[in-house]
Amino acid sequence: TETALTLLTSPLAGMDAADLRRLGRALREEERAAGNHLPPPSDELLARALAEPERLVAHDPAYARGAQRLGALLRKARERLAGGGTAEEALWDLWDGTPWPGRLERTARRGGAAGRNADRDLDAVCALFAAAARAEERTGGRGALNFLEETEAQDIAADTLTRRAARPDAVRLMTAHRAKGLEWRLVVVAGVQEGLWPDLRRRGSLLEADRIGRDGLAEPLTPGALLSEERRLFYVAATRARERLVVTAVKAPADDGDQPSRFLGELGVEPKDVTGRPRRPLSVAALVAELRATTVDPRVSETLREAAAERLARLAALSDGDGRPLVPSAHPYRWWGMYEPTASEVPLRDRDKPLVLSGSALDQLANTCSLQWFLGREVKADAPATAAQGFGNVVHVLADEVASGRTPADLAVLMERLDSVWDALAFDAPWKSAQEKEHARVALERFLQWHVDSNGARGSRTPVASEHGFDVTLEAGPYEVRVRGSMDRVEQDAEGRAYVVDFKTGKHAPSTADVARHPQLAVYQLAIREGAADDAFGGVRPEPGGAELVQLRQGAAKKNGGDTLPKVQAQEPLSGEWIGDLLATAAGKVLDERFTPTTGQHCTHCAFRASCSARPEGRHVVE
C-alpha cells in the first residue's frame, strides 16, 4: 500500500530518466534566461513546472510532452478534490490517467518473478483504494490530506522492513519454523506430545501441494521421510537455547490419553515427572482469577486479601510502550457485576397511549419468547427474510387472488403465476429450489381443493373478504391494546356469523390443545366482536362463529378427506376471559419492559441464540 501511495502521488510518476534530464536542462535554461542562477533542479522546481504545464509549451514537445501530461493529470486530481471529490475518486483519476495499470497487467500476465512483483503491486493498489473507501465511510469524508496523514501514520503489517523490534524484557512466542537462525539464553519447547510432534499427517493432502516441485509432480513423502523431517524440526527448536532448554509434555494416566513424544527419549536426559497442581497459576488469566477470588474470600485473612488486591492493582497498571494495558482483566472496570444494570432513560412505549400489537406479536409474547419479540420487532435486529418466508408470502398472495376473483381457481394458471416470481426467491441450492417449488405446487393444489370443497366442513360458509385489514382498540385489564393486522380470509356461515381463516405454510402444526387457546385466532375473533368486519357484512356487526388454521403444507387425515386436502384445525367461538388476560399479560411485559427468554422449538431458527442467556451458546450474556 505504501508503494502504491508513493507511486500514485509522486510528482515525477510516469517519467523516465531521460525525460527528467531533458526537463532539468530546459528548466535551468529558463531560469538562466530569467537571470536566476540555481543549482540542478530540485523536486520543488520540478513540481512547480508540473503544476504549471503551460510553462513547457515553448520547449521541444519530444521531451516536454510527458511532463505536460503529468501536470495535466495532477491538475485534474486537484480540481477533483477542490470540487468536493473524495480521496478515492482522486486516486482513481491518478491511477486511470497513467500507463501504469496497463504495464502492470501485461507484466502480471507474463508470469515469472516480474509477474509476481506485478501481482503484489496490484494487490497494494487494491488495498489502497479499499483503505480510501473505508476512510470515507468511517469519517464521512475529511479530505485527501487527512487521509494521507492517517495512512502514513499507520503501522502497515505487510511491510516487513518496518517490523517493530521485540522488547528486550519480553517473552517471544513463535513456531519452530520461525525460530530458525535465532538464539536465546532460555528456550521452552512446550506441548511435545505424540501425535503432535511428530505430526505424520501429509501436508496439503487435499490439493497435494506437497508434491509440487521444480521438475513437476513428485512422489508424496513416505511416513519415514515425514518422521525425519519432524525430527529435524525438533532439533532446530531444541538448539535455539544457548544456556538452558526446557521441554514439556503431558502424560495421561490412561494409555489411550495424551502421551509424551518419542523425541523426548532422544534428548539424552531422563524426563522428570511433575505431578499435582502447580504451586502458582501458569497463565495471566488464571493468576487474575485466583487473585480476584482471594480478595473476596472470607476464609482468608485481611492481610492476604489486601496483598491480593495490591497485586491486582500492579497488574492493572502495566502497559506497553504505546500506553495500552497489558492485563486489562485485572482492572475492576472489566469485572462483571461491578455496575448496576442499565436502564433506558426513554420508555419503550408510552403508558398514556394504547399499546399497539398484532396477533402474531401476541402469540410470540405470550407463548413463545418475549425476548425474541423484543430483539426482532422492537430493536429491528432480526435476520433478513428467509426463503421459507418468501414461500409463505407467494402462496398467500395467490390464495388471495383466487378468493378475490382476480385469478381463476385453476392450478395451471396459478403455477404459471408462481413461475413468474419463483426465481426471485433465494435458495441455498438449485435442488432446494426445485424441492420447495414442488411443495408449493402441492400446497396450491390443496388450497384449490379446500376452496371449491362444497361438501366438506366449510360447505355452508361463503367468503366475504380476503386479506381483510383491521385496527381495533381493546380493553385488557388496566391497559388499552390497539390490535392491528390482516385476516387471510373472512367467511359467513349459515347462521350469519363471521368465521376467520388463517392460512399457514409452516412445516409444523400446533396441537389440538394449543389451537383451542391459539392467541392469534382468538384476537381475530375478539376483533370481529369489536367491529373489525362490519364493513364486510354491510355495516352490520356479526357475531364471531369461530376460526381455523388451514395447514397448506400438511395433508388432512384420511377421515377428513385425505392428503389432497389441507389439515384444518378449528377454534370454537370465544368463551371465558382467557384472551383478555393474555392481552393484559403481554401488555404488562411490554410496558414494564420484562423480556425474559423462553426456550422451546422456536429456538431452532432464532437469530439471537448467541446473545440469549437461556441458550448454551449465549451463556456469556447475563440478565
Side-chain angles (χ1 to χ4, degrees), residues 213-375:
R214 293 184 176 181
D215 301 324
L217 290 179
E219 290 298 320
L221 292 177
T222 63
L226 282 173
L227 179 61
S228 299
E229 183 179 324
E230 289 286 287
R231 181 176 283 107
R232 285 193 295 271
L233 187 61
F234 181 71
Y235 174 81
V236 168
T239 54
R240 298 307 92 201
R242 289 196 301 265
E243 299 178 8
R244 186 183 179 203
L245 171 68
V246 178
V247 180
T248 67
V250 175
K251 182 178 181 180
D255 293 337
D256 58 349
D258 290 331
Q259 298 298 323
S261 168
R262 68 190 77 173
F263 291 162
L264 278 130
E266 301 175 6
L267 289 173
V269 178
E270 185 68 24
K272 179 182 177 182
D273 288 340
V274 180
T275 59
R277 293 188 58 187
R279 195 168 60 87
R280 283 287 181 264
L282 299 180
S283 67
V284 173
L287 175 62
V288 170
E290 182 175 304
L291 291 174
R292 286 176 55 184
T294 303
T295 59
V296 295
D297 190 348
R299 296 169 298 178
V300 302
S301 65
E302 183 70 23
T303 303
L304 185 56
R305 288 200 296 268
E306 289 181 358
E310 181 182 346
R311 282 164 173 75
L312 279 174
R314 288 167 58 188
L315 289 172
L318 293 175
S319 61
D320 62 9
D322 295 329
R324 291 187 293 264
L326 293 175
V327 193
S329 60
H331 200 289
Y333 72 73
R334 294 291 299 269
W335 301 353
W336 286 7
M338 295 298 292
Y339 289 110
E340 292 296 325
T342 56
S344 174
E345 297 181 359
V346 180
L348 185 65
R349 297 292 180 89
D350 189 346
R351 285 181 173 271
D352 297 329
K353 296 180 180 180
L355 176 66
V356 180
L357 290 176
S358 64
S360 58
L362 175 61
D363 188 14
Q364 200 171 15
L365 281 166
N367 293 340
T368 308
C369 179
S370 58
L371 180 62
Q372 188 184 60
W373 174 86
F374 171 73
L375 294 175

Side-chain angles (χ1 to χ4, degrees), residues 72 102 123 159 182 193 216 298 344 499 535 548 586:
D123 290 340
D159 185 4
L182 304 176
Q193 306 292 141
S344 174
Y499 197 90
D535 53 343
E548 67 185 20

